[in-house]
Amino acid sequence: MTDSHLSDGDVGLLSPVSASPVVAALTGDRAVLAAILAVESGWAAVLEKAGLAPAGSAAIVASAADASRYDVRDIAIRGQGGANPVIPLLADLRNRVKALDTETGGAPRVGALGAVHTSLTSQDVLDSALMLLARNAVAALLADVKATTAALAALADVHADTLCVGRSLTQHSLPYTFGLKAAQWFHGLAAAAQRLDAVQLPVQTGGAAGTLAAGTVLTSASVDTPFDLSDNLAAQLGLAATPGPWHTNRLAVTSLGDALTAVTDALGKIASDVLFLSRPEVAELAEPRAAGRGVSSAMPQKQNPVLSVLVRSAALQAPGLAAQLHLAAANFNDERPDGAWHSEWPAFRQLLRLALGAAGHLRELAEGLQVFPEAMRRNLALSGPLLLSEGVSAAVAPLLAEQSGLSGKQQLQAIVDQTLQAPPAERASAYRALLRAAVPADVLPDDRLEDLLNPASYLGQAGEISRRILAAFPDYSRPATTQDPTDPNGDPRG
């Protein structure tokens, strides 16, 4: 095998939903390594500021923590020796710090090695690094989601009066509006995003067994306590402070996993609707077109809704990954776990990747969605006035006297049953005629009957529901700003 083959790595060949330079930059192995180094560099800065490391140490560690200078593949392979990547990376980091801190004669200039990893354990660093990785990924995800919800809010507004048919258990149910459908899409996604944005991503500094024993020794002659150092690292990295170590309390991880899955659920719902509504026999919606997208290897005429396909593929995978995080959390034995922690990492990262990829694709879909009101009216007309039978029954049943032991409601049901026996093309006229025969014009005037059979007259509170939904999430109904959350040391949310 050639070196070029070895360097290919996993680029997403079998996961096209997340095969993106943005996703790779935020969640790839290089991003993980950069996050680990950011934690070590941040800790050195905290120690120096507290007077617990020599002046100048933080600058040397920061210079040594350039992720581009490390061999990710070599560190991954060597990580098998300690069952995590922090140990070999730490060895390489120390060598670089030593080299940068060495004078010509071989003596250290500053003594910066004392600022590297002091009082921490591998789990502290990797847990904090994965929270940092998640912070940056979630910021990018929320930027895409807010752009999507802004597009959905615009659709809800533009199509507030666009009639379509509501469907229940695959069948036509009642008149509906596409504006309400878009508002309901908005509701699910905005609520899920709001929940994700509220998830706390805490720092971890518990030490070898979660007692802060080494940190207590380190700070014994300092005005700072181990808790101060932890809080300062949280501020340095843009993570949440924590009242204590959480080595085996994985609520931070499972909460994030659940929130990410709720987002992919909402994205998947939208994608599933678009997949159905873009079928040729329905043709109410179409994805935005782009050169080379949606093509078939065998059928030139096909325009596959691949954005929705990719989003749905992510939504179908995410719940299993969230379940894996819960399975791991339930098996975090002792004070530091054996295996459960390690099983958490790939599920955690894959959830981030799927959610990021799906959010990007759904954003493009929502911003360029093609809507065909004529097709919506055509499909609405397939059921004709029978679609109004619920409203007709509520208005007309009280007007009918009991006949042959049948109540007014039962008589109207008999009319519906009789109408359904007619050929589809004749049902509209048959239903009108049967209603007219059952209820005299002096009891139910023609104009009132026509009003009852007008789909636009039986929309309930569709418009008000949409308005209330959009008003409940004002931060998500406005266009999102573009951010570049690829710097593990910065806070992309500002």
Side-chain angles (χ1 to χ4, degrees), residues 178-236:
F178 183 67
L180 181 54
K181 183 178 285 291
Q184 291 290 13
W185 289 346
F186 170 95
H187 191 186
L189 186 54
Q194 191 174 75
R195 174 184 173 188
L196 175 61
D197 197 28
V199 171
Q200 294 289 302
L201 303 175
V203 76
Q204 179 83 279
T205 59
T211 63
L212 294 169
T216 302
V217 174
L218 177 67
T219 58
S220 59
S222 171
V223 296
D224 290 307
T225 69
F227 301 104
D228 295 325
L229 300 185
S230 179
D231 291 348
N232 292 341
L233 181 62
Q236 178 81 17

Side-chain angles (χ1 to χ4, degrees), residues 448-470:
R448 175 56 176 153
L449 176 60
E450 288 308 310
D451 183 58
L452 288 173
L453 299 181
N454 178 6
S457 70
Y458 198 64
L459 293 171
Q461 298 293 323
E464 180 62 9
I465 292 169
S466 295
R467 188 199 66 76
R468 288 169 63 89
I469 287 173
L470 298 181

Side-chain angles (χ1 to χ4, degrees), residues 384-385 419 427-437 449-450 453-454:
T419 302
R427 287 175 184 169
S429 58
Y431 186 55
R432 276 186 170 86
L434 289 168
L435 280 175
R436 183 75 291 165
L449 176 60
E450 288 308 310
L453 299 181
N454 178 6

